[in-house]
Amino acid sequence: MAKIQAIRGMNDILPADTPVWQYLEETVRKLVSSYGFSEIRMPTVEKTELFKRSIGEVTDIVEKEMYTFEDRNGDSLTLRPEGTAGCVRAAEEHGLLYNQIQRLWYTGPMFRHERPQKGRYRQFHQIGVEAFGMNGPDIDAEVICLTARLWEALGVADSVELQINSLGSAAARQTYREALIAYLSGYKDQLDEDSQRRLDSNPLRILDSKSAQTQEILNSAPDFQDFIDAESRQHFNELLSLLDAVGIKYKINPRLVRGLDYYGKTVFEWVTESLGSQGTVCAGGRYDGLVEQLGGKPTPAVGFAMGVERLVLLITTLARVPDYVNAFSDVYVIVAGANAGLPAYSLSITEVLRKALPGCRIVLNCGGGSLKSQMKKADKENAAYAVIIGDDEYSDKNVSVKSMRKDRLLPGGDMQMKIEKSALAGLLQSLLK
RNA sequence: GUGGACGUAGCUCAGUCGGUAGAGCUCAGGAUUGUGAUUCCUGCGGUCGAGGGUUCGAUCCCCUUCGUCCACCCCA
């Protein structure tokens, strides 16, 4: 019988890895909360139409990457390829955006049918942050600050670079788009294959083509800076001076064009050299038109999404994960003897310990085994202390405590001692403090 | 969707110019009958990714397929 395997590009996150995920999630949770953002949780599945209308019909995501299927009643549903659309839908649906501002964040799995490679999977996880109802550059700066603080908290600030750009207003983009098409059409034969294709679908993306010849043609192309509207320009300049004021370094990248249609004005991306080809670790921008586009009142908004797999990869490869994250157990309870009363005796002692030492990881050896093999298990668990309960301890109503590490000696400088069982919790409490 | 590399034990890999396979680690037991992380010994563990073809015989050669990795495309 053939074994059933996980779907391509959809990974199991194994026990060896979950501590790093939890550490990352916990760090983010504290940080977004300190910036006044509240968590929102949306369904993983939405109507297909939501993504078509928000992300854009001609984007790669909608055209060829969505997991779309028919519900039993004939509705077309889609596994969310990103979080913003669902977040806007949910906030709008529940009146969260009516004449008020909202600072929201969320996390969860997203789905895109792409060919997997390093840092890119078909089911991947994002942490997203969205701020609604504020149109000034101050909230853009605030949101970027949040990301910068996160890199500091994770110890990767030296390995990521902020790239930033302004896409201007929708009208300015449209005018520029036409000018660009007009110019490039004259060179159509000389463009690389991808760029030729994009000429109709998404001409702005030609700007970051990797073809040398295309780039040469682009050198004399119309410059977006000549098309950008005055308001967007001012917004951008104010944002940059706010970033200067808090010492956040950035690199203006005029070629930075996001792949989702709803972005306008501010766009930014945090990139790293340390992850190979998929170097974008966080990306976002302003999307003032989206709420209205989805049927709400015109509502300015700005947000970003981070790729959790990429961040985990980054802090792991750069070895920035604190040691405590991967520590296993604190105490391992060994039960070795023939007395029929041992299981109950050791279980009740362990339960008392767990009540007395909340937050400590206490493993009770189950399934028997020789003392030697149980010692090995205690060692493998990285336990700081072993509690040994055998026939002698049982009949004397006490327990033995053994230090598993030379740098954590017991009172009196011993490696092992026998004490009354009633004194065990107090002893371990003081040792593990 | 396109291209390249690769699938041998739970893990990391060796190997057979075609005669159905080995090491290290892990795990279990022992040397040390109540004491781990060192050492030594023993043992468990494989339809050599799957299917088909050539052959007396295929893990090895050929085809197909599935999967993994990396890159392109695109994106978090």
Side-chain angles (χ1 to χ4, degrees):
Chain A
M1 257 258 276
K3 281 184 188 166
I4 296 174
Q5 294 179 298
I7 309 298
R8 163 188 279 237
M10 304 203 181
N11 301 120
D12 300 305
I13 300 157
L14 301 175
D17 303 317
T18 48
V20 179
W21 281 67
Q22 289 169 354
Y23 158 71
L24 176 64
E25 287 160 357
E26 194 47 41
T27 307
V28 170
R29 203 167 302 231
K30 282 184 198 146
L31 191 73
V32 291
S33 163
S34 80
Y35 276 74
F37 285 76
S38 305
E39 186 181 2
I40 182 170
R41 302 189 186 192
M42 300 86 70
T44 309
V45 180
E46 299 272 1
K47 293 210 171 134
T48 304
E49 186 63 17
L50 175 68
F51 301 116
K52 286 193 175 171
R53 262 163 59 185
S54 55
I55 297 169
E57 291 268 9
V58 296
T59 56
D60 276 22
I61 293 178
V62 170
E63 275 183 337
K64 47 193 193 198
E65 296 175 2
M66 294 205 301
Y67 279 91
T68 297
F69 59 96
E70 218 175 69
D71 196 1
R72 285 170 187 271
N73 63 5
D75 289 346
S76 179
L77 305 183
T78 293
L79 262 43
R80 62 181 180 192
E82 57 101 46
T84 302
C87 182
V88 169
R89 194 230 82 227
E92 180 58 31
E93 183 168 334
H94 296 96
L96 268 43
L97 305 182
Y98 195 80
N99 289 341
Q100 52 191 313
I101 58 170
Q102 286 291 346
R103 290 178 170 88
L104 303 175
W105 74 278
Y106 54 82
T107 182
M110 309 292 164
F111 303 84
R112 292 184 199 171
H113 192 104
E114 301 180 273
R115 191 79 165 257
Q117 68 185 73
K118 184 173 186 168
R120 192 176 71 187
Y121 310 100
R122 289 185 173 178
Q123 173 173 332
F124 61 103
H125 297 76
Q126 285 189 336
I127 297 168
V129 168
E130 320 282 359
F132 296 97
M134 294 161 274
N135 55 25
D138 49 358
I139 185 66
D140 297 22
E142 179 85 347
V143 148
I144 292 173
C145 271
L146 192 161
T147 57
R149 298 303 159 238
L150 180 62
W151 314 141
E152 287 171 12
L154 295 174
V156 297
D158 57 344
S159 304
V160 291
E161 178 188 76
L162 174 62
Q163 301 197 350
I164 192 164
N165 190 25
S166 177
L167 299 179
S169 67
R173 232 163 28 251
Q174 186 54 33
T175 314
Y176 177 64
R177 183 188 154 108
E178 282 158 17
L180 191 64
I181 293 176
Y183 169 79
L184 289 174
S185 295
Y187 299 90
K188 188 166 182 182
D189 298 343
Q190 296 160 53
L191 294 174
D192 60 282
E193 212 178 302
D194 285 320
S195 295
Q196 290 189 23
R197 186 169 45 79
R198 288 189 202 133
L199 201 48
D200 302 314
S201 59
N202 203 341
L204 295 188
R205 288 225 64 110
I206 298 177
L207 293 177
D208 52 23
S209 162
K210 278 160 190 149
S211 153
Q213 195 179 348
T214 300
Q215 282 299 333
E216 198 160 315
I217 294 168
L218 284 169
N219 282 336
S220 338
D223 187 350
F224 182 65
Q225 294 311 307
D226 303 330
F227 289 76
I228 189 169
D229 52 297
E231 193 208 328
S232 293
R233 187 191 304 278
Q234 193 190 345
H235 183 103
F236 191 51
N237 288 336
E238 285 174 23
L239 169 58
L240 296 183
S241 60
L242 285 171
L243 294 179
D244 290 334
V246 285
I248 293 175
K249 294 199 175 58
Y250 52 83
K251 188 170 159 192
I252 297 171
N253 178 358
R255 307 253 150 120
L256 180 62
V257 181
R258 314 280 2 282
L260 291 76
D261 280 359
Y262 52 64
Y263 286 112
K265 287 188 176 169
T266 311
V267 290
F268 65 93
E269 224 170 86
W270 286 94
V271 296
T272 177
E273 303 276 313
S274 308
L275 293 184
S277 178
Q278 310 301 325
T280 302
V281 111
C282 168
R286 187 161 270 283
Y287 50 96
D288 292 341
L290 182 59
V291 175
E292 187 179 14
Q293 202 174 313
L294 292 177
K297 279 179 37 168
T299 304
V302 57
F304 64 82
M306 300 182 281
V308 180
E309 279 81 357
R310 290 182 188 179
L311 288 175
V312 167
L313 212 51
L314 186 64
I315 60 180
T316 306
T317 55
L318 293 170
R320 303 291 158 80
V321 182
D323 285 343
Y324 74 86
V325 171
N326 286 308
F328 295 161
S329 58
D330 298 301
V331 177
Y332 195 92
V333 181
I334 288 171
V335 187
N339 198 299
L342 268 178
Y345 183 67
S346 51
L347 178 60
S348 62
I349 286 175
T350 309
E351 283 296 293
V352 168
L353 275 187
R354 289 179 177 134
K355 271 183 199 159
L357 301 165
C360 285
R361 181 161 163 145
I362 301 168
V363 178
L364 171 62
N365 188 85
C366 294
S370 66
L371 177 62
K372 184 190 179 112
S373 70
Q374 294 189 43
M375 286 299 297
K376 280 188 180 174
K377 283 177 183 139
D379 188 47
K380 246 195 122 174
E381 280 275 342
N382 271 333
Y385 299 99
V387 170
I388 301 169
I389 304 172
D391 291 331
D392 296 349
E393 284 82 359
Y394 179 71
S395 49
D396 298 346
K397 292 292 168 241
N398 58 26
V399 297
S400 293
V401 180
K402 174 168 182 170
S403 166
M404 298 297 285
R405 288 164 28 190
K406 290 204 172 75
D407 61 341
R408 303 195 76 152
L409 294 177
L410 299 167
D414 294 327
M415 285 300 281
Q416 182 164 346
M417 64 192 287
K418 228 177 215 190
I419 59 167
E420 297 264 318
K421 73 167 183 178
S422 59
L424 178 63
L427 173 66
L428 288 173
Q429 219 158 18
S430 63
L431 288 170
L432 288 167
K433 206 179 290 172

